[in-house]
Amino acid sequence: VETQKRLIRQEFVSRRKALDAELRREYDAAICANIRNLPIFQASGYVAAFIRHGAEVDLSPLFKGKRLLLPRWQVLCSSNWVG
């Protein structure tokens, strides 16, 4: 199952990277508009989100006026994890 998930994610990441940058920005704006219109989003003071990396969806327009809950990033440096 994990292998299938990884392969599916790789496929969709590849497809998104292949999109023209302007089209990606349009898609990002549409995704943010859909989320912004959800009553649960409008009522919430908190947002669980992520900071985009590479060609991932840019959710930053949703952050204004909300308290953010973000995952902790760890970077592998040599053979040690650093936070």
Side-chain angles (χ1 to χ4, degrees):
V1 172
E2 288 302 315
T3 301
Q4 290 174 325
K5 285 182 183 179
R6 186 173 36 80
L7 292 173
I8 291 169
R9 178 163 171 72
Q10 287 174 348
E11 172 64 24
F12 280 95
V13 167
S14 294
R15 288 183 187 187
R16 185 157 170 87
K17 282 181 180 179
L19 294 174
D20 174 71
E22 181 59 33
L23 185 57
R24 254 195 334 254
R25 282 189 290 274
E26 289 176 21
Y27 286 165
D28 291 355
I31 290 167
C32 287
N34 285 332
I35 294 170
R36 194 178 291 112
N37 289 327
L38 293 171
I40 195 164
F41 177 81
Q42 294 171 3
S44 176
Y46 291 86
V47 174
F50 60 88
I51 304 299
R52 77 180 171 111
H53 178 73
E56 292 177 332
V57 176
D58 181 8
L59 298 176
S60 63
L62 299 174
F63 299 166
K64 187 175 181 181
K66 303 286 185 180
R67 295 194 74 178
L68 296 178
L69 305 171
L70 299 170
R72 180 176 177 190
W73 275 56
Q74 293 183 329
V75 179
L76 184 61
C77 179
S78 298
S79 61
N80 300 316
W81 284 96
V82 236

